[in-house]
Amino acid sequence: MPAIRAALLTFILGFLSAPLPAAPAPDLPKEEALLARLKEDRYEALAGQLREAAGEQRMGVLLQLASLGTERAIDLVDRNIDSVADRPTLLNAVASEGHREAGPLLLRAVRTWGPDAGHPIERLHFVLGPEVADELRRTAGATTSDAVRRAVRAELIRLGDGRAIADLRRDLAAAKLASRDDAQSAIDILSVASECFEVAGVVGALFRRVDPGRSDVHRQLTQYAAGVALWLGDRDSVGRVVELLGSPSPAALKYPGLHSLEEILTRNTHQVFATTGEWKAWWESTGRRTPLFTVHVPPADEAAIINAAVAWGRTPAAGPLISGPIVYLQDDAKYRRGREQVQAGLDAGIRPYTGGELTLLEKRPFAVFEIESNGETAFATLGDGSNRSNWRLARLELAKREGAWRVLRRVSS
């Protein structure tokens, strides 16, 4: 007990003496060994249940094995996935946790699911990277399914394949916009561009070429392209969106299911104005020089923003929101290539674990998510999931000063 009290006192004194205290580094080898043992014990229990399970119960056990993510668990799922009625849902569970052990199962599904292979193809980016590009191209060349070919193209772009991104850039630049069919074709091209920040400029150029007065499909394309261009961070397109607010029939640019022009501007500029005149005045003054907010944050900045948010969570200003010596960050990133770069930049006291791993370790889950930035200012949500059904959330505004991100304040929304 004296040793425990001394360790606790040391931590408290360290916390009080500095505004942004660093978390003690966890004993990672012991913790990783413990997690491995817990996963192995859980695997044995689930494997035993699977031998006796049938119907929906069997599916439930397989979903738990998929979440476990070990090589043995994924192999067992692989050997049983064809025995369930809902293979796509089970495959989603395998891929969504981001465990690299899921790669062989996903690739087997790509090779054997035939015309249904589009589903596993569009989940490869959770666990694999551009190394699978050649196999995907062979798949596209061998199939007669348009759906599979579309899935391959979309996935190559998500994987950051340079050749696929160059092809997309050429298609966007060459898109014809004269007829209704041309406009529909441009919408189809844009549908794979919304996750590719590398083509922000050419998307913006396409948007600014569209004449919404040509047809109803052109109006839909205008609204859709405006949203994608600003989402990707193309500042040059803001002026055109502001101009369209004052068009003779702005109601015609409110296609169902798409954000309105006002919503697009507000979401990506973090400005709120009641009239078109106010939007124009802002654009003519400071707006044209102000970067747009985007969720496509460079991994180095994303890691630094996470570190700053967690550090703030330990301060008196936060409550503190984070009171334990170690923070566990839930791994919600979609792309393996980005996820690994972000993890490499995290402070030593921040360990990325999945939700299932947190449960096994009986750790309090903390998460930093909903990150968006314009390169100078950022917003992020810091969450404490001690009560899994009622998370405590803090929306934070951060600023980059002399190359370092710092929390400025807690915002209400």
Side-chain angles (χ1 to χ4, degrees):
M1 290 295 291
I4 295 175
R5 291 195 187 97
L8 181 60
L9 179 60
T10 299
F11 169 71
I12 292 173
L13 290 175
F15 172 77
L16 294 175
S17 64
L20 293 175
D27 190 341
L28 297 183
K30 288 184 178 179
E31 192 163 87
E32 290 171 354
L34 172 61
L35 181 59
R37 289 197 302 272
L38 292 170
K39 285 189 173 185
E40 185 63 22
D41 291 344
R42 185 61 178 153
Y43 167 80
E44 294 293 347
L46 289 171
Q49 293 176 30
L50 186 64
R51 287 192 289 269
E52 307 296 329
E56 292 184 5
Q57 185 182 23
R58 182 177 183 81
M59 180 66 167
V61 174
L62 288 169
L63 287 171
Q64 293 179 69
L65 284 163
S67 177
L68 198 58
T70 64
E71 185 175 355
R72 293 182 73 195
I74 297 299
D75 178 68
L76 189 54
V77 171
D78 198 359
R79 286 186 277 120
N80 287 273
I81 192 170
D82 292 329
S83 69
V84 300
D86 191 356
R87 294 190 305 175
T89 295
L90 184 52
L91 193 76
N92 290 348
V94 170
S96 62
E97 297 285 357
H99 297 293
R100 298 204 59 176
E101 291 81 359
L105 188 158
L106 287 170
L107 288 173
R108 188 182 77 82
V110 170
R111 295 162 185 160
T112 62
W113 282 24
D116 296 326
H119 189 87
I121 285 169
E122 295 206 62
R123 279 140 188 87
L124 292 173
H125 64 277
F126 284 96
V127 295
L128 297 170
E131 68 272 11
V132 298
D134 288 343
E135 172 153 353
L136 286 179
R137 288 194 173 90
R138 287 194 295 270
T139 299
T143 186
T144 60
S145 169
D146 288 339
V148 170
R149 281 193 286 266
R150 287 194 300 269
V152 166
R153 184 185 193 194
E155 191 64 5
L156 286 171
I157 291 168
R158 293 191 191 98
L159 291 171
D161 178 72
R163 178 173 154 191
I165 292 172
D167 289 343
L168 174 60
R169 184 178 286 110
R170 283 193 294 270
D171 289 347
L172 289 165
K176 296 179 180 179
L177 303 174
S179 68
R180 293 178 81 255
D181 287 344
D182 290 340
Q184 184 58 60
S185 178
I187 290 172
D188 294 339
I189 297 171
L190 280 172
S191 68
V192 297
S194 62
E195 298 176 84
C196 184
F197 68 91
E198 293 95 336
V199 298
V202 68
V203 168
L206 184 152
F207 159 61
R208 297 190 295 275
R209 288 196 290 122
V210 182
D211 177 2
R214 281 186 175 271
S215 73
D216 57 333
V217 182
H218 284 82
R219 289 191 291 275
Q220 179 187 357
L221 171 60
T222 299
Q223 192 176 344
Y224 183 35
V228 175
L230 269 63
W231 173 258
L232 294 175
D234 183 58
R235 182 172 52 184
D236 292 342
S237 293
V238 179
R240 175 59 174 159
V241 177
V242 172
E243 177 186 330
L244 288 169
L245 285 176
S247 63
S249 182
L253 291 174
K254 292 186 177 179
Y255 193 86
L258 297 178
H259 289 288
S260 69
L261 297 182
E262 293 89 344
E263 289 170 334
I264 292 169
L265 287 169
T266 298
R267 182 184 65 181
N268 295 285
T269 65
H270 283 227
Q271 302 292 327
V272 180
F273 299 112
T275 67
T276 299
E278 290 174 305
W279 276 112
K280 288 183 176 179
W282 167 79
W283 176 247
E284 293 298 329
S285 57
T286 61
R288 64 174 66 252
R289 297 186 300 276
T290 304
L292 292 178
F293 285 90
T294 176
V295 299
H296 298 284
V297 181
D301 275 351
E302 185 173 348
I305 289 167
I306 291 170
N307 292 336
V310 169
W312 176 88
R314 297 181 179 282
T315 65
L321 189 68
I322 300 173
S323 56
I326 302 171
V327 173
Y328 292 85
L329 176 73
Q330 285 189 320
D331 183 9
D332 292 324
K334 291 182 179 180
Y335 298 82
R336 196 204 81 190
R337 61 187 177 116
R339 182 174 67 240
E340 291 181 342
Q341 294 176 60
V342 170
Q343 290 177 8
L346 297 178
D347 287 341
I350 302 176
R351 285 288 290 158
Y353 287 127
T354 66
E357 290 169 341
L358 287 167
T359 299
L360 286 173
L361 289 166
E362 298 182 346
K363 296 293 185 181
R364 296 173 60 179
F366 294 91
V368 182
F369 53 98
E370 294 178 341
I371 298 172
E372 54 181 335
S373 172
N374 65 3
E376 302 168 357
T377 301
F379 291 87
T381 297
L382 173 62
D384 167 19
S386 301
N387 181 344
R388 298 292 184 93
S389 62
N390 187 23
W391 278 63
R392 290 193 301 163
L393 303 176
R395 187 67 172 165
L396 306 177
E397 180 181 353
L398 304 92
K400 194 174 188 179
R401 300 286 186 269
E402 297 179 352
W405 286 97
R406 294 285 186 270
V407 174
L408 294 181
R409 63 190 179 100
R410 182 173 184 165
V411 296
S412 58
S413 60

